[in-house]
Amino acid sequence: MPFYVSPEQVMNDKAQYARKGIARGRSLVGMVYDEGILLAAENPSEVLHKISEIYDRIAFAGAGKYSEYDSLRRQGVQFADVRGYQYSREDVDARSLANAYAQVMNHVFTTEIKPLEVEILVAEVGHTTETDQLFRITFDGIVMDDDHYSVLGGESEPVAERLKDSWQAGLSLGDALRTARAALAGPERTIEPASLEVAVLSRSNGRRAFRRIDGEPLAELLGP
């Protein structure tokens, strides 16, 4: 006779396993600033990106196991391209994409032995600050509509606490970037520009709102 394990215990074990995997990764921040949405992550790799473009005004960010959230990113690009082709580009929005991701992640969590060790963020820049959207999707497919900022992966709770104390409406890009770096680093260390992956969804970029910031422009924004 096989050992009996209650469904509740199985789900608890899966959740604990997923949380441990996500916590091993470095944290990531999405934050609203005066001209759009800033995405910043501690990522020393120049090749493996945690932040990517999905569609015209939509970005994707992931924390946890790289191979798993990169697979989700590719699925999101395909979903957006097909929807935009079948209907129109305006019909591709962050809400529908977040719901699609939630269904996939919940299905894996409830039916597969091993859950996804990832948290993801779907961000869409609106025409005004009030219409900017940040959707955080957890490993079990729960969608959270965050206001002003989102924190994923790593030590997300202390980073979120630091952002709670330092974020304010109307931040410029430079101020938002310095606020994000300070929240990610904490009071006891400093993150060098080379170890930061930064991108923005900017209202001033036209139809393709996504833009990466690195090298000298990043160092100038961070200041001395």
Side-chain angles (χ1 to χ4, degrees), residues 27-30 37-43 45 47-54 58-63 66 69-70 73 121 123 184 196-201 210-213:
S27 297
L28 180 149
V29 168
I37 297 173
L38 167 71
L39 301 167
E42 186 176 0
N43 182 13
S45 174
V47 180
L48 304 179
H49 294 303
K50 303 178 75 170
I51 302 166
S52 300
E53 181 183 24
I54 289 285
I58 302 174
F60 170 96
Y66 175 79
Y69 66 70
D70 191 59
R73 178 192 63 81
L121 176 68
L184 289 169
L196 273 178
E197 180 182 357
V198 177
V200 294
L201 289 169
F210 184 88
R211 174 170 60 94
R212 293 191 182 278
I213 303 175

Side-chain angles (χ1 to χ4, degrees), residues 179-193:
T179 299
R181 180 172 72 163
L184 289 169
E188 298 179 357
R189 66 189 185 103
T190 301
I191 301 175
E192 297 299 322

Side-chain angles (χ1 to χ4, degrees), residues 54 58 60 72 75-76 79-80 83 91-108 120-124 133-138 140-145:
I54 289 285
I58 302 174
F60 170 96
L72 290 171
Q75 292 178 46
F79 173 89
R83 191 179 183 92
D91 288 323
V92 182
D93 63 348
R95 182 179 289 104
S96 60
L97 184 59
N99 287 333
Y101 274 135
Q103 292 177 22
V104 170
M105 296 170 76
N106 179 260
H107 178 76
V108 172
I120 62 174
L121 176 68
V122 178
E124 180 178 6
Q133 295 181 320
L134 295 167
F135 293 104
R136 178 163 49 97
I137 303 101
T138 60
D140 52 356
I142 295 175
V143 181
M144 301 181 188
D145 181 11

